[in-house]
Amino acid sequence: YVLGFAVVVYGATASAQAKLGVSLLACALPALLSTELASGDHVAGDALANAWLQEFVGTAVMVVLTCMPGALLGHLGYQVEWVFHWLMMMAADSLTGGNVNPLVSTTMVAAGRDSTKDWVVKVAAQCGGAVVGWKLLIAAGEFMVGDVGGPSPDEHLPLFYVFWSECLGGATLCLAVWAFATTSIGEVYAAKMGLINVTLRTIIVYFGATGPAVNPALAFGYDFAVDGSWPTMEAKSPSYVAYWAGGMIGAAVSGLVWKVITQKLDEKAQIGAGVALIGVCLAAWIFVLAVEAQAISDDTAFGKAMAARHPVTKLFGRKPKAHREL
């Protein structure tokens, strides 16, 4: 009944505040029904409700802390931004913990570490928490030097590259979590978070075809916070292909692969296999697919610039200034 009410109100109202309210209510349903999800077991139900709260608050805190430095201070250079991102990641994780990412929750289920009930509760909380985090960050935008912005797929690229960008990026991030957080490396907190952050920063710098997000809740939470509604399939089909289809498949495959690795290899070999697979995913995108994607993006931008020239410019066959070297 509550879900039906939320759907009816969401579809009938034009108010962004009402859409936000019923969306957060729908995201909270797994927590409200935690005992029922646990088949009447109150202890297990309380654990699910606590997991929902941790993920909801944790995702909101993660969005605010990790996305704030760039918006607050502007572009400071990749090295400085990496340090800030690493510190903010550790701060958010220390304050709340949790997966704070549907891809991490998905890879945990694929590897048999979590149940589907855990996945439903956590992903619902992550989507709601991301919206709240972005709302808080955007509200503070007037105090920021830089712009508060979120990820989006490159409009010049076919869906093939959009999908593989997020799929390989998501797999890379999940493999880093497995290799650095679930092995003996994870016992040294700063090293664990540093290695995961180096991997994530590499994805952010080199996987430009989708932003990237490597976090569907973060990507869609931003769209909701800006537009006042969830992205529609007609308007945002590349986002669904990238952030949900691509990212989730990459996360699921990495979880299945890691399950086999843990069954066949000792811990040192697990770490080595994880690092090797991370390298394979990065190389597949950076040295193969990204090269093709950049060429397509440049050609498309060049074609649009050529078509938009002034008639006199066209008469003399002069190329657009930014593309004369091409």
Side-chain angles (χ1 to χ4, degrees), residues 93-231:
D93 186 68
S94 299
L95 287 170
T96 61
N99 296 338
V100 301
N101 188 335
L103 301 190
V104 177
S105 297
T106 299
T107 200
M108 292 291 174
V109 173
R113 303 291 182 93
D114 273 345
S115 68
T116 53
K117 293 178 183 178
D118 294 318
W119 186 89
V120 169
V121 169
K122 291 179 179 180
V123 172
Q126 290 155 3
C127 291
V131 173
V132 172
W134 279 117
K135 281 286 188 182
L136 292 172
L137 199 56
I138 291 171
E142 61 182 292
F143 304 105
M144 307 290 187
V145 173
D147 296 325
V148 178
S152 62
D154 189 331
E155 63 180 6
H156 297 149
L157 290 179
L159 292 182
F160 174 86
Y161 294 97
V162 168
F163 171 87
W164 280 109
S165 174
E166 203 70 10
C167 181
L168 291 171
T172 302
L173 176 61
C174 292
L175 287 166
V177 171
W178 286 120
F180 306 137
T182 65
T183 61
S184 57
I185 294 176
E187 297 173 5
V188 183
Y189 186 73
K192 173 188 76 172
M193 297 303 292
L195 288 168
I196 293 174
N197 187 254
V198 166
T199 306
L200 181 56
R201 290 301 301 181
T202 302
I203 296 169
I204 290 172
V205 171
Y206 290 103
F207 285 62
T210 50
V214 288
N215 187 330
L218 184 147
F220 274 56
Y222 175 76
D223 284 339
F224 189 103
V226 171
D227 300 333
S229 61
W230 296 108

Side-chain angles (χ1 to χ4, degrees), residues 81-91 190-191 193-195 197:
E81 289 173 355
W82 173 80
V83 173
F84 272 111
H85 195 201
W86 173 51
L87 293 174
M88 292 300 101
M89 272 185 66
M90 289 199 297
M193 297 303 292
L195 288 168
N197 187 254

